Amino acid sequence: MIRLNVFFLIEKSENCVPLVKAATELVSMSLRDKGCIDYDLFASATNDDRMMIVETWRSEDDLKDHMESEHFKRIVPQLQQLATMTFERFDF
């Protein structure tokens, strides 16, 4: 399995609402992707400018298919325009 923790640092406060909207759509669509075990959006309780998506995939092939999906290719560039995005990957 593969776990990705995708972090968002929102530098402009006006980007928060559009980021949540786009990320929520990505979560909703991605939960239907083959091999998706979990996909969720979290907001920091202590920093208004930080959010994260936690996603878990059954296999590398499932993750690759997800990254080739229409919703991924459409929404992730939007997220990258709204916040600085970094991630951690764990294979287990």
Side-chain angles (χ1 to χ4, degrees), residues 2 9 15-16 20 48 58:
I2 301 162
L9 177 59
N15 288 349
C16 187
V20 170
D48 292 341
R58 186 166 285 121

Side-chain angles (χ1 to χ4, degrees), residues 10 15-25 41 43 51 79 82:
I10 306 162
N15 288 349
C16 187
V17 170
L19 185 130
V20 170
K21 182 178 178 191
T24 301
E25 180 184 2
L41 174 66
M51 294 186 183
L79 297 173
L82 295 167

Side-chain angles (χ1 to χ4, degrees), residues 70-92:
E70 178 278 330
H71 55 272
F72 184 91
K73 289 181 174 182
R74 177 175 50 84
I75 299 171
V76 170
Q78 294 173 21
L79 297 173
Q80 290 172 321
Q81 289 181 347
L82 295 167
T84 300
M85 209 167 89
T86 58
F87 73 94
E88 300 172 324
R89 177 184 169 136
F90 303 93
D91 295 277
F92 55 101

Side-chain angles (χ1 to χ4, degrees), residues 55-67:
E55 51 189 280
T56 306
W57 295 94
R58 186 166 285 121
S59 71
E60 183 70 33
D61 287 339
D62 293 330
L63 176 57
K64 285 180 182 176
D65 289 346
H66 164 66
M67 293 173 71

Side-chain angles (χ1 to χ4, degrees), residues 1 4 8 11 13 24 26 31 33 37-38 42 44 46-47 53 64 66-67 69-70 74 77 80 84-85 90 92:
M1 283 195 283
L4 294 177
F8 300 97
E11 287 127 5
S13 60
T24 301
L26 180 64
L31 284 168
D33 288 346
I37 295 170
D38 193 29
F42 298 93
S44 172
T46 57
N47 293 296
I53 289 177
K64 285 180 182 176
H66 164 66
M67 293 173 71
S69 70
E70 178 278 330
R74 177 175 50 84
Q80 290 172 321
T84 300
M85 209 167 89
F90 303 93
F92 55 101

